[in-house]
Amino acid sequence: MPGSPLRRVIASTLGAALAVAMAGVSPAEAASKPSSKVPKTAKAGDGARVTKQAWVTNHEVDLTVKSVALGQTVKVRILVPKAWKTSTTKRFPVLYALHGGRDHYTSWTRSTDIETYAYRYNVMVVMPEGGVNGSYTNWYNYGKYGSPQWENFHNFEVREIVERAYHAGTSRAVMGISSGGQGAITYAERYPGLYRYAAAYSGLLSIRSVGVPALLMFTIVGAGDGTDPFRIWGVPGADDVNWRQHDPLYLIQRLKGTGVYISAGTSGKPGPGDNPKTAPWDIGLLSERVVGATNVTFLQKAQQLGIPVTSHIYGNGRHAWPAWTREMHNAWPKIMAAIGAKRV
């Protein structure tokens, strides 16, 4: 009969299957997608907390974090491994991936194949928001400090949340591109032992070299969000004490015992994957040449101090994703070995 219980069950089942199919996922995938309910433990020691979690796929989740350190709400994306489950008691090695300036937390999944690489290992990848200026520091604010405190957000709030609520372990690595690369090395230096490995792809590894502070100030102003560049590290020269404490080259001795990978171009010419007709005055070529010079200086200093650093200082290559993706591929096995992440 048209209104029989059996017909109603069949119609309901077919309707649900059709809705799922139209959404682009199978019924099995939909059924296995983790709950959107935020764990009660998704909090940091200073009161920062996750207010929302949205699963993009079965192994990719976006967190909305109300941060005390930043005084605002921002996003964090996490890739979880195959064996990850909401109820698991297992802890996983974790890689923190930092984005560059004028970008955001989705940049790694948008511009690289990091999902494919991560899914081959029992590793968790955490990709936090880093701000449009990508400064990766607690802002100086003319000596008054206060918000935003990006360094505290990444190394304390995000870390505590993923370890308390999302099964991240204490075997950690950090990597980044551009200003995120600078942040990766600086974080490993400022918190010795927190990360077993640090990798920087076109990271600015000396922020106090001749001409570099001016380039940084120009880049920050050029972001167009109205930021006063002197609020970040202070006025170059006048506030040199604070600049030194966030300079990867100045802090290099603190990397003893940490695995390090650095890479950058030096020629100011297009490389593989770049448009060969790119003009010589292109900012991506000019900036990479400056960045490459700081990487050469950093490597020389590391060698003088006997600090092991794996490097790939290549000639041609623009300050852009084609080079950074290749370098991520090159560094990946070393990072995974350092944190004990196994292939699955």
Side-chain angles (χ1 to χ4, degrees):
M1 295 176 63
S4 69
L6 178 59
R7 285 179 179 269
R8 288 196 296 270
V9 170
I10 293 174
S12 176
T13 302
L14 289 175
L18 179 60
V20 169
M22 291 177 67
V25 295
S26 70
E29 289 174 324
S32 60
K33 186 173 288 189
S35 170
S36 60
K37 185 177 180 181
V38 176
K40 294 181 179 180
T41 54
K43 299 177 182 178
D46 66 355
R49 60 189 178 89
V50 176
T51 59
K52 181 181 179 181
Q53 66 178 33
W55 288 90
V56 182
T57 69
N58 292 349
H59 57 93
E60 182 178 346
V61 62
D62 285 351
L63 308 182
T64 300
V65 180
K66 186 174 183 180
S67 168
V68 174
L70 301 178
Q72 60 180 300
T73 297
V74 294
K75 295 291 189 72
V76 177
R77 174 164 288 183
I78 301 176
L79 301 179
V80 299
K82 289 180 181 179
W84 190 95
K85 294 181 181 179
T86 302
S87 59
T88 189
T89 57
K90 185 177 181 179
R91 297 281 175 169
F92 297 93
V94 58
L95 169 61
Y96 293 85
L98 311 179
H99 66 75
R102 306 190 196 186
D103 218 328
H104 46 78
Y105 74 102
T106 64
S107 68
W108 279 99
T109 51
R110 179 203 65 218
S111 299
T112 76
D113 53 357
I114 193 170
E115 292 169 276
T116 300
Y117 268 68
Y119 206 52
R120 294 171 182 167
Y121 288 79
N122 67 324
V123 66
M124 177 180 293
V125 180
V126 179
M127 297 162 283
E129 181 60 55
V132 68
N133 286 296
S135 53
Y136 294 97
T137 184
N138 294 341
W139 284 24
Y140 187 63
N141 286 321
Y142 292 95
K144 297 179 180 179
Y145 299 97
S147 296
Q149 298 174 324
W150 288 103
E151 186 174 312
N152 288 0
F153 173 64
H154 295 135
N155 295 284
F156 296 98
E157 292 183 344
V158 173
R159 178 179 61 81
E160 290 174 2
I161 285 170
V162 297
E163 290 179 4
R164 293 176 179 181
Y166 295 94
H167 314 301
T170 57
S171 183
R172 315 176 192 91
V174 59
M175 70 177 185
I177 59 101
S178 191
S179 56
Q182 170 200 321
I185 299 298
T186 305
Y187 285 174
E189 293 170 329
R190 287 177 60 79
Y191 302 97
L194 188 64
Y195 302 100
R196 297 187 181 184
Y197 206 94
Y201 317 128
S202 295
L204 193 62
L205 301 186
S206 173
I207 65 172
R208 296 161 62 245
S209 295
V210 176
V212 173
L215 174 63
L216 284 168
M217 300 299 98
F218 173 80
T219 302
I220 292 165
V221 172
D225 66 342
T227 295
D228 174 355
F230 298 148
R231 288 183 57 204
I232 298 179
W233 293 289
V235 178
D239 297 310
D240 192 58
V241 171
N242 193 59
W243 279 75
R244 285 202 308 266
Q245 294 307 314
H246 296 87
D247 185 351
L249 183 63
Y250 183 80
L251 301 175
I252 193 170
Q253 294 192 61
R254 299 185 185 183
L255 287 174
K256 291 181 178 179
T258 302
V260 180
Y261 182 100
I262 64 172
S263 64
T266 55
S267 71
K269 297 178 181 179
D274 298 327
N275 182 349
K277 297 182 179 179
T278 302
W281 53 84
D282 172 75
I283 188 61
L285 296 180
L286 295 175
S287 62
E288 187 65 14
R289 191 170 182 177
V290 174
V291 166
T294 70
N295 276 250
V296 171
T297 301
F298 185 91
L299 179 60
Q300 292 172 342
K301 186 68 172 180
Q303 292 170 339
Q304 292 172 5
L305 295 173
I307 299 173
V309 171
T310 300
S311 64
H312 184 204
I313 308 299
Y314 46 90
N316 298 345
R318 190 172 179 271
H319 197 74
W321 284 105
W324 301 335
T325 302
R326 287 192 301 273
E327 294 307 315
M328 180 196 75
H329 293 170
N330 291 339
W332 192 268
K334 300 175 180 62
I335 297 172
M336 295 299 102
I339 60 177
K342 307 296 183 181
R343 285 190 70 105
V344 294

